[in-house]
Amino acid sequence: MTYPLSDSARRLQATARRFADTFLIPHEVHAEMHEGEFPAGAEAAAVAEAAKLGLRAMNIPKEAGGGGLSYVEQTVVSEQIGRVTNGLGWCINTPARCLYEAATPHQMETWIGPTIRGARSECYAITEAGAGSDVDAIASTARRDGDGYVIDGEKWHVTSANHADYLVVQAKIAGGVNDGTHALFFVDRESSGVEFLRTPAYTHTYAHHHPIVGLQGVRVPAANLIGKEGEGMAFTHDWFRYERMMIAARCCGAAERLIEEAGAFAGERTAYGKPIGEYQLIQAMLADSLTELWAARLMVYRLAEAHDAGDDAKILHGQCSMAKLYASEMANRVADRAVQIFGGRGYMRENVAERFFRELRVDRIWEGTSEIQRLIIAEQLRKRGQAALIG
Ligand SMILES: Cc1cc2nc3c(=O)[nH]c(=O)nc-3n(C[C@H](O)[C@H](O)[C@H](O)COP(=O)(O)OP(=O)(O)OC[C@H]3O[C@@H](n4cnc5c(N)ncnc54)[C@H](O)[C@@H]3O)c2cc1C
């Protein structure tokens, strides 16, 4: 039995699949050989098509110019985008919904609105050299000064900073009644004191880089504060929850593509006089992969339904961790098996399994490592009990 998705979710699934197959997947090998870049003109075509199909800013309500999709619908779209390597699917931007909800009219007009329309783009600067898993250990500060704040710090792994024209920076308030609490700020890329200190090379071949960004005496108006002083961590947790669910969805898409491609290859490639797909050792790898993908997909769809139903955020927090943990570990196992099925071809960068084998590794690290997901799940189990988490 296939999962009982609504007709609109099925339609979106088909639309997103066609979009990925037509506008993204054909450019993967070019991207792999050209620092992650699309061929000339292809990115603009993909961005325009995504906007036409309602796939851009899909998490933002329609009345604000977004796609207005339910969580289940966003999940099926993300799954199809997850079938694509080289970060080409990132041409569909989804600004954090919690920032949209917290935005003042000025912030809506200056940052969030243009981001929804695709006229501006953001990056998230939370992690630091001494604070990754333990976000509370950040050393960046925001000190109130007259009618604004002065921000100092150094942020690591700032994804897409080379494409973004503003950063969402997390810092601790220094001084005043909220001293030591977390806050988020909109910081324009061109602000005085913002400097890209270094752009390290990473495992994947993406056009979106992850530079180390220095913030030295960066002065921003008080109007750039998102929400209130002390609310920074709540926004970050909200964003983590959403991203963990979407990472899980993308990992399911990656596994789907890998099983398709490795399965097709196993049907064609002959060894010892017959297709390798007729050997039970190969069949076992495909069978394990499909079984694990099904389990992950059921988790992700059910989790998205729970979001749509407005379930308790604390329970969802634990469930997002379970979905992200399981789906990311599953996809890595599937990629490893796919490389094995492709044999020597699976080690070539022009092969989808080779690229996913490298690219999926980070899904066990970013937005909270697998160890951190386990800690969250264990803590939720201790606090709320098994029935609350899994019924
Ligand atoms: C490609 C990439 C893109 C990223 N993009 C962004 C971004 O856009 N913005 C941003 O702010 N951050 C970003 N990050 C940062 C990412 O979220 C962190 O790398 C991640 O949260 C882990 O933090 P860390 O690297 O400091 O590892 P650490 O926290 O130093 O962890 C090192 C190891 O110790 C383990 N560990 C830590 N604490 C515990 C514990 N209590 N118990 C058991 N094990 C533990 C971890 O699981 C890990 O195995 C990105 C990272 C990467 C690699």
Side-chain angles (χ1 to χ4, degrees):
M1 188 190 85
T2 55
Y3 200 83
L5 291 173
S6 67
D7 289 346
S8 79
R10 284 267 171 238
R11 269 197 308 277
L12 269 163
Q13 192 178 40
T15 300
R17 189 178 178 90
R18 264 196 315 277
F19 170 71
D21 286 344
T22 312
F23 286 87
L24 304 177
I25 287 177
H27 306 307
E28 287 177 324
V29 176
H30 175 95
E32 181 59 34
M33 301 306 154
H34 296 86
E35 308 292 334
E37 300 287 351
F38 278 89
E43 183 168 17
V47 167
E49 183 69 9
K52 201 170 88 191
L53 298 171
L55 303 179
R56 199 182 59 211
M58 60 183 177
N59 56 340
I60 303 291
K62 274 203 169 119
E63 58 271 23
L69 303 190
S70 70
Y71 283 104
V72 170
E73 291 167 340
Q74 291 177 55
T75 297
V76 296
V77 170
S78 293
E79 207 179 354
Q80 292 308 313
I81 298 304
R83 292 173 54 247
V84 183
T85 63
N86 298 88
L88 298 183
W90 291 9
C91 66
I92 299 181
N93 191 19
T94 50
R97 167 91 184 222
C98 56
L99 300 187
Y100 156 75
E101 282 166 355
T104 61
H106 166 68
Q107 293 172 345
M108 204 50 211
E109 194 185 320
T110 312
W111 293 285
I112 300 294
T115 309
I116 294 169
R117 292 194 299 277
R120 298 196 73 173
S121 62
E122 84 286 31
C123 59
Y124 296 87
I126 301 167
T127 304
E128 300 177 0
S133 302
D134 182 6
V135 178
D136 193 39
I138 60 170
S140 294
T141 54
R143 187 172 40 80
R144 187 82 204 215
D145 185 44
D147 58 357
Y149 291 86
V150 176
I151 303 175
D152 286 283
E154 185 182 296
K155 295 295 183 178
W156 274 54
H157 311 297
V158 186
T159 296
S160 305
N162 58 322
H163 283 242
D165 59 2
Y166 69 96
L167 302 86
V168 174
V169 174
Q170 184 157 343
K172 278 186 178 170
I173 300 293
V177 286
N178 296 313
D179 182 58
T181 64
H182 290 252
L184 293 187
F185 296 89
F186 291 111
V187 177
D188 287 322
R189 162 78 181 85
E190 295 309 324
S191 309
S192 169
V194 175
E195 196 187 343
F196 286 15
L197 302 176
R198 193 161 71 84
T199 299
Y202 284 67
T203 302
H204 52 217
T205 315
Y206 284 16
H208 290 250
H209 301 156
H210 317 279
I212 299 171
V213 180
L215 302 151
Q216 254 200 342
V218 179
R219 194 170 281 278
V220 296
N224 290 33
L225 172 68
I226 302 170
K228 299 193 189 81
E229 290 183 0
E231 289 185 343
M233 203 62 120
F235 290 130
T236 297
H237 281 155
D238 193 293
W239 176 241
F240 280 170
R241 263 197 304 282
Y242 177 76
E243 264 300 290
R244 284 169 189 165
M245 178 163 57
M246 293 304 143
I247 287 171
R250 292 198 296 270
C251 284
C252 288
E256 179 186 330
R257 169 109 185 264
L258 286 163
I259 295 167
E260 277 165 10
E261 300 251 7
F265 179 76
E268 291 159 13
R269 172 71 173 167
T270 58
Y272 301 98
K274 55 180 182 174
I276 60 169
E278 290 184 22
Y279 296 116
Q280 289 177 334
L281 292 174
I282 299 288
Q283 290 171 359
M285 288 195 267
L286 291 168
D288 285 346
S289 297
L290 189 66
T291 305
E292 292 187 56
L293 167 59
W294 195 31
R297 184 179 278 173
L298 294 178
M299 284 173 89
V300 173
Y301 288 174
R302 181 66 204 109
L303 176 62
E305 284 174 348
H307 274 79
D308 282 328
D311 280 11
D312 180 353
K314 293 196 175 81
I315 303 294
L316 293 175
H317 200 69
Q319 292 172 334
C320 284
S321 289
M322 285 192 267
K324 197 255 188 189
L325 171 66
Y326 185 76
S328 62
E329 301 266 335
M330 174 280 298
N332 274 266
R333 287 192 292 273
V334 172
D336 185 71
R337 293 182 196 120
V339 169
Q340 201 66 17
I341 292 171
F342 276 109
R345 289 169 176 78
Y347 202 63
M348 295 162 75
R349 285 171 61 190
E350 64 196 52
N351 186 295
V352 65
E354 189 278 341
R355 295 193 302 278
F356 268 134
F357 182 74
R358 275 182 291 123
E359 294 179 11
L360 289 166
R361 190 62 183 82
V362 79
D363 289 312
R364 291 164 59 194
I365 297 172
W366 59 13
E367 305 301 347
T369 64
S370 288
E371 290 72 36
I372 296 307
Q373 306 309 329
R374 288 187 176 95
L375 294 182
I376 294 170
I377 298 160
E379 177 72 352
Q380 293 283 327
L381 178 61
R382 197 178 59 75
K383 279 192 186 155
R384 299 174 215 293
Q386 192 179 142
L389 286 167
I390 63 164

